[in-house]
Amino acid sequence: MRYWFFIQCMHEPPPFAELHCRSNFTFLVGASQPEELVERAAAKLYSALALTDECSVSGVVRAHLAAREASLHFICGSEILLTTQRGHPHARIVFLAQNKLGWGNLCECITLARRRAAKGRYSALVTDVEGKNIQAPHLAGMPGCLALLLPEQDATTESLFAQAMWLKTWFPGRAWLVAPRPLLMDDDLRLWIVEQVAERTGLRILASSSPVMHTSKRKKVQDVLTAVRVGKTVATAGYALRANAEAYLRGRAALMHQVPAEWMEETVRVASLCTFSLEELKYEYPREVVPEGATPASHLRKLTYEGAQRRYPNGLPDKVRKQIEHELKIIAQLEYESYFLTVADIVHWARDRDILCQGRGSAANSAVCYCLEVTNVDPDRMSVLFERFISVERREPPDIDVDFEHQRREEAMQYIYEKYGRDRAALTAVATTYRTKSALRDVGKAMGIDPGKIDRLANTAYGTDEKWISEACLVEIGINPADPTVVHWLTLADTIRGFPRHLSQHPGGFVIGRDKISRLVPVENAAMDNRSIIQWDKDDLDSTGLIKVDVLALGMLTAIHRALDLAGAKAGGPPMRMQDVPAEDPATYEMICKADTVGVFQIESRAQMSMLPRMRPRCFYDLVIQVAIVRPGPIQGGMVHPYLRRRAGEEKFDFPNDAVRQVTERTLGICLYQEQAMKLAVVCADYTAGEADQLRRAMGAWRKRGGIEVHERRLTERMQKNGYQADFISQVLVSIKGFSAYGFPEGHAASFAHLVYVSSWLKRHHPDAMLAALLNSQPMGFYAPAQLVRDGREHGVVVRPVDVTISEWDSTLEEPAHGPASARWDNSHEQPLRAVRLGLGRINGMREEATKRIVAARAEKPFASVEDLAMRAQLDAHDLKCLSGADALLSLAPDRHFKLPHLWTVKFLQAGQGLHY
């Protein structure tokens, strides 16, 4: 062993690159965010930093962005434990992506390991790296990757030598030994073993601190996370805890006294071999969406104008034609045609199968999306900005959210998997993070705090991002805020808020690629069957150029579809379509103004109902404002009451200049939409398009933590420089900050307002069809079925009980039946209302399979008795109990004294009679 540290004491620290570093995306191991590690490495003047989370690259996007800001060379990699076919450990390797080929191979290797194991686990086999896996023979030797061998804590010279020789065989010229320096009592022995193996194999040695935190101050956090991982308290975790706090990013001056200079310098040489950057990734669209002989641009133009003829049968308005040409020009300039075609293909497939769907969000700002039938917001009725959706200056990927009927959304998802394959389509992930309550619970358990105390605090905690749990809250539930244990508990819990806990699946954000998605980002199993997710959070996709299509579920679309079908059937004609609903119906708006909105979309809550008589919506754009204004963003931003006063003419207002007037004139000088906030930043504070986009992202990030201070200062300074008054500046800042608590873009509000109007029109003119549709679409909405039934009766709808001799599974409409005199409006001028027969699906515990047997047996001939029903429909005691409990058997057993389950019936069933139990 050489005593190099005596020689190096007076020298300048040699350059160093940390090539084995794990963040908190190695869940419950790493105790620092990727950004914190990058900032620390840059502050310590590291030459480079490699993020190597275990069998994961979930944190590399965030680290890449932070490294770009800090001008630090960043390397993508991953630590993987290779095992034999029988599950025995073989070697722990750190793979570093040397180039784009290496990145693709690394992602595919991680995918193989994750896909063959349950969610949250992995199984990486030696045969994968040896190319013996028939699914990926090209992974032999992991071309484009460098391999670093990590010695196990109990490694011997013989075991490490065997691993090193295997590594040298499969990675000739691309293999190194890592010499960790945890500063434990056996460090000298461990380093001696590494040196001996290096001399015998010819492999070079790399120095590493193997950090799991950016500073030693995070040791307590790391201990808590370890205790949570092993399911023990910190006091009982024992050897599972790290012996010291040295697994952090140490300064180069400290390292030079702990390892030879040549080991540190070798890390820099290895880092120089890794030139890959995430900016090299280029998303490629599927080929299937463009027919042979056509280009994406020509095919998109063809579909757009074909759709325009259907949307405008009386001729395309000049305003819309100009808007279409403007949009097609921008789409072509950014080469996004295939994205629109991919979304249109999914939507057209759904419509061909009579699945109601509608695009929303910023896509509602697009005339092209309207003509493609992706959205239902007519640009001729709205004045929305396409640049909020796609901008040449921002050059950000488009994002279209498509809502499908919630009972049939799964069909659309499986269509995507079937068309593109599981290797080309995957859901994006959502990094589930610690929030206030979950952080309090996990840290409290790890510290051994009384469970009752944990529950009291977690159940009543009202800490926010800006203000942590107050002393008043603690005193209120009988916890001493001065108790050192409590202070320590709250400090640690506050630190881990925002830490990722695990990856979960996005509700429906699909990433679809031309080739294997696993060559761009690893794919792993989700908790649900037949689901796979990529390892990047949805917020990381924009930074890497990956484009997703959101395939989401919306219960109201199911209800509207069913109601339109029933309304058409009442008239003896074909099912109605959403475009058949007449626009701007005065009777519908009159109903809305009275807050008679139980069961309709969005405006059915108590908060919305209390606002409707004050807003008194009289046109479609009023509904857009109504949807947007009752949100935490406008409410916390103090926008609601000023708008109502101005709308009622009770408050005078003026605009500082014409630029501000143009942005907020339609909303009476009030900032109600996110894009208005972005526009105000541009016109008032000289924000560039890129800065405005950063502001948009920050408005979402403020809900998590941080980001507000930078924009507050920037906006204030620039608006003061441009001569705006302090009151106006304060109003703008409060409004913008309010959107961090959830506000709507205008296009999003417009899409939802369309569903508000359609559902309200159905409730006003077809309350019977709407009630049956709502009952058949459960579970959904704000109100329970019993409340919907009561509201339907108040509107003149006769609701008839479940009857096993009549009812289907769904609730149905029966012969016309006039409502009681207490109906809220006169329907005499319209088609008579029909009665709603409650379906067997309304019975708690009733199984659909049993209902199908009942309906099939009833179609053959009517039931003569309960016994006949039970025998012919093969019902068991559970089914009969459900039916009798709901009074569905009264037509067969009218005497309530014989209501099932009755002794004689149970004995009859138990006698056999060929029934199934």
Side-chain angles (χ1 to χ4, degrees), residues 22 31-33 36-41 44 211-218 247-250:
R22 288 168 291 175
S32 294
Q33 300 276 15
E36 293 174 322
L37 292 165
V38 168
E39 292 170 4
R40 174 77 174 186
K44 292 298 182 181
V212 293
M213 46 195 171
H214 70 293
T215 173
S216 59
K217 295 179 181 179
R218 286 286 172 87
Y248 71 101
L249 290 172
R250 306 174 203 166

Side-chain angles (χ1 to χ4, degrees), residues 45 72 169 189 191 254 276 309 348 527 588 706 744 839 844:
L45 301 180
L72 177 70
T169 301
L189 174 60
L191 294 181
F276 171 74
Q309 292 178 357
H348 293 166
T588 299
F744 268 11
N844 289 334

Side-chain angles (χ1 to χ4, degrees), residues 685-725:
D686 301 325
Y687 264 43
T688 64
E691 289 175 324
D693 188 54
Q694 291 175 6
L695 175 60
R696 177 182 66 84
R697 298 175 190 274
M699 283 191 285
W702 288 347
R703 290 198 302 270
K704 298 175 183 177
R705 298 179 87 175
I708 181 173
E709 296 83 3
V710 174
H711 287 283
E712 274 190 324
R713 291 193 298 268
R714 187 183 301 170
L715 286 166
T716 301
E717 292 171 359
R718 294 187 184 181
M719 292 176 72
Q720 288 176 343
K721 181 180 178 181
N722 290 339
Y724 288 95
Q725 299 297 319

Side-chain angles (χ1 to χ4, degrees), residues 15-19 21 33-51 60-76 211 214 249 252 267-268 271-272 274-279:
F16 175 69
E18 181 55 73
L19 302 179
C21 178
Q33 300 276 15
E35 299 91 336
E36 293 174 322
L37 292 165
V38 168
E39 292 170 4
R40 174 77 174 186
K44 292 298 182 181
L45 301 180
Y46 281 21
S47 299
L49 177 70
L51 190 64
V60 297
V61 175
R62 303 180 187 189
H64 163 73
L65 296 177
R68 189 170 63 186
E69 292 291 325
S71 299
L72 177 70
H73 179 198
F74 176 69
I75 301 169
C76 299
H214 70 293
L249 290 172
R252 293 183 299 130
T267 63
V268 179
S272 67
C274 299
T275 60
F276 171 74
S277 170
L278 290 179
E279 296 178 0

Side-chain angles (χ1 to χ4, degrees), residues 163-225:
Q163 293 173 352
M165 287 304 298
W166 176 88
L167 193 71
K168 184 177 180 180
T169 301
W170 287 101
F171 295 86
R174 296 181 289 124
W176 284 264
L177 285 169
V178 175
R181 188 70 160 142
L183 300 184
L184 300 175
M185 293 183 61
D186 59 351
D187 271 10
D188 288 345
L189 174 60
R190 184 179 296 106
L191 294 181
W192 179 83
I193 292 174
V194 171
E195 284 188 308
Q196 291 298 309
V197 172
E199 290 179 4
R200 293 170 60 183
T201 61
L203 295 180
R204 300 178 69 89
I205 301 176
L206 301 174
S208 175
S209 302
S210 296
V212 293
M213 46 195 171
H214 70 293
T215 173
S216 59
K217 295 179 181 179
R218 286 286 172 87
K219 176 60 166 61
K220 294 179 180 179
V221 175
Q222 209 278 327
D223 286 347
V224 166
L225 295 175

Side-chain angles (χ1 to χ4, degrees), residues 255-314:
L255 278 172
M256 68 179 291
H257 300 313
Q258 299 166 1
V259 295
E262 57 265 30
W263 294 3
M264 296 177 64
E265 292 167 354
E266 184 66 14
T267 63
V268 179
R269 192 181 76 81
V270 172
S272 67
L273 300 176
C274 299
T275 60
F276 171 74
S277 170
L278 290 179
E279 296 178 0
E280 297 179 39
L281 298 181
K282 181 177 174 58
Y283 177 80
E284 294 182 315
Y285 297 94
R287 300 181 183 89
E288 294 89 339
V289 295
V290 181
E292 292 186 11
T295 65
S298 66
H299 191 51
L300 179 62
R301 175 176 290 274
K302 174 177 176 290
L303 292 182
T304 299
Y305 278 101
E306 287 177 354
Q309 292 178 357
R310 293 191 296 270
R311 290 291 198 183
Y312 303 99
N314 298 324

